[in-house]
Amino acid sequence: MKMRRYAVLLGLLLVVGVVLSACGSGGSSEQGGSDSNSFKTAMVTDTGGIDDKSFNQSAWEGLTQFGADNDLKEKEGYDYLQSNSASDYATNLNRLVQSNTDLIFGVGFKLAEDISKVADQNKETHFAIIDSVVEKDNVASIVFEEQQGSFLAGVAAATKSESGKIGFVGGEESELIKKFEAGYVAGAKSVNKDIEVDVQYAGSFGAPDKGKLIASNMYNSGVDVIYHSAGGTGNGVFAQAKDLKNNDPEGSYWVIGVDRDQYDEGQIGDNNVTLTSMLKAVDVAVADVAQKSKDGNFPGGEIVSYGLKDDGIGIAETNTEAYTDDIKAAVDEWKQKIIDGDVTAPTTDDELKEYVDSL
């Protein structure tokens, strides 16, 4: 009998030991950061997809770089979910929450409403929204001074233009894309107040055929430089410029890319129709916020802004044949004026009118 009671007592002690051991060996779920082998981050794209050669692709490149820097494997430590329509946003966000993702990025202002709702329902999960502001303690809002880079794109376009007519192709008209438009027109008017700027919106960020048609009409009307802020729709602008250049090698059919250096998109034989690109360091921002989150320094409830001063915005100089010394000099001059606070790039139609009237 004594031997039996001893065996039972020993068994209970072993069970208690195992339980205590399990409690003591828990992963670092505290504020000090996540263990490199357990941290998971992912992004939900807008309808452009990670191969849009623009905004979503830049975000994915940043997440991929973060994964490489931290020895994380794709699909395990970092991943993405593609949204084919707006109805996919909430579904994809919730799928990532359910898979215990530590940090979830919403790529683009269109996801702001769904990020806000899902973040409210999952306060222990970290979220980050790009190009919008969501005022939640568990959401970091990543924004850029797009109007500053677009202003410089306008300076480049007006300096390059021989016809005195340039164009702007937007995806969907919104407060965000109006920043690109206003900055671009202001920069161009700063170089040549009388320059004509044809502004058109495609109504979609995923309609390259519509972008191609708009570009065709613009070039046919005498426009010789087009700046697009249209995601995948902008691929159609490039396609049209390359078609025209192929048939008329001596003609001027320039495109200014957006978000990332789109030099490769303009290559056609020995020619390249990409004048420059307005660089928006989405990749740098994504990698930066992901690293902060992993290290336990997630900027929840904060607005993290990137502009010319901190190299979050810039202008590509890759096409050295097209982007001439006089263009570079003009861009550098106006860039310094913006950095010094002597010039404030407009963000709205009203601000643009006020700026142009002051010239």
Side-chain angles (χ1 to χ4, degrees):
M1 182 68 70
K2 289 183 178 180
M3 181 63 70
R4 182 178 179 183
R5 284 200 298 269
Y6 176 77
V8 171
L9 179 61
L10 179 60
L12 289 172
L13 288 173
L14 287 173
V15 170
V16 171
V18 170
V19 171
L20 290 175
S21 175
C23 292
S25 63
S28 53
S29 60
E30 301 172 358
Q31 293 182 347
S34 298
D35 180 76
S36 61
N37 293 322
S38 64
F39 184 82
K40 292 173 60 178
T41 183
M43 58 180 250
V44 175
T45 75
D46 69 9
T47 55
I50 64 163
D51 57 352
D52 64 354
K53 302 176 182 178
S54 186
F55 190 69
N56 288 281
Q57 185 168 333
S58 184
W60 178 240
E61 288 171 352
L63 208 60
T64 300
Q65 184 61 54
F66 165 76
D69 291 342
N70 291 275
D71 296 322
L72 301 177
K73 294 182 179 179
E74 186 177 344
K75 302 295 183 185
E76 296 178 12
Y78 65 99
D79 201 359
Y80 76 91
L81 291 181
Q82 168 72 44
S83 300
N84 296 314
S85 68
S87 62
D88 293 333
Y89 297 156
T91 300
N92 285 337
L93 290 169
N94 280 309
R95 279 180 60 191
L96 292 176
V97 169
Q98 291 161 11
S99 65
N100 297 317
T101 306
D102 298 285
L103 171 63
I104 301 170
F105 288 90
V107 184
F109 67 93
K110 289 185 174 183
L111 280 85
E113 183 177 349
D114 289 299
I115 285 272
S116 181
K117 291 177 180 177
V118 177
D120 260 345
Q121 298 163 358
N122 301 277
K123 296 186 183 297
E124 299 304 313
T125 302
H126 289 165
F127 298 85
I129 180 70
I130 302 174
D131 274 351
S132 189
V133 175
V134 173
E135 297 179 348
K136 306 289 180 184
D137 289 340
N138 59 331
V139 181
S141 300
I142 301 171
V143 298
F144 298 85
E145 302 289 344
E146 294 94 352
Q147 72 278 7
Q148 295 180 348
S150 297
F151 187 103
L152 300 184
V155 170
T159 306
K160 185 69 174 179
S161 179
E162 297 175 358
S163 67
K165 296 180 68 175
I166 61 175
F168 174 84
V169 177
E172 295 182 23
E173 190 167 353
S174 65
E175 182 178 334
L176 173 65
I177 306 303
K178 292 297 287 188
K179 290 170 65 178
F180 289 82
E181 177 196 330
Y184 178 64
V185 176
K189 294 284 186 179
S190 297
V191 173
N192 175 8
K193 190 174 181 179
D194 296 323
I195 197 167
E196 295 181 39
V197 187
D198 186 355
V199 175
Q200 296 189 44
Y201 283 83
S204 171
F205 291 102
D209 289 347
K210 185 69 176 293
K212 195 174 191 301
L213 177 60
I214 293 174
S216 175
N217 292 333
M218 284 188 177
Y219 288 127
N220 286 339
S221 72
V223 166
D224 54 3
V225 184
I226 298 175
Y227 173 40
H228 88 85
S229 178
T233 298
N235 295 336
V237 177
F238 277 104
Q240 182 61 24
K242 289 193 289 186
D243 283 351
L244 291 170
K245 190 68 174 178
N246 189 47
N247 294 324
D248 180 16
E250 301 303 318
S252 294
Y253 310 102
W254 299 108
V255 184
I256 296 179
V258 74
D259 293 337
R260 61 196 296 273
D261 189 349
Q262 294 192 300
Y263 176 82
D264 289 344
E265 310 317 312
Q267 194 68 47
I268 175 171
D270 295 330
N271 291 313
N272 194 302
V273 299
T274 305
L275 173 60
T276 182
S277 298
M278 196 285 278
L279 305 177
K280 182 173 169 180
V282 176
D283 55 341
V284 174
V286 166
D288 181 40
V289 171
Q291 193 65 53
K292 283 182 169 66
S293 182
K294 179 181 174 298
D295 293 342
N297 301 311
F298 177 67
E302 298 180 20
I303 298 175
V304 188
S305 181
Y306 299 84
L308 286 176
K309 282 186 177 180
D310 46 26
D311 295 325
I313 292 289
I315 288 288
E317 301 179 2
T318 313
N319 193 346
T320 54
E321 291 186 13
Y323 193 84
T324 55
D325 289 342
D326 61 326
I327 296 176
K328 176 176 169 50
V331 168
D332 287 347
E333 177 186 353
W334 286 97
K335 176 181 178 180
Q336 196 58 51
K337 288 180 180 180
I338 293 173
I339 290 175
D340 292 342
D342 298 331
V343 170
T344 300
T347 62
T348 65
D349 287 338
D350 289 342
E351 290 178 3
L352 174 60
K353 183 179 185 306
E354 183 179 350
Y355 179 84
V356 173
D357 288 346
S358 71
L359 294 175

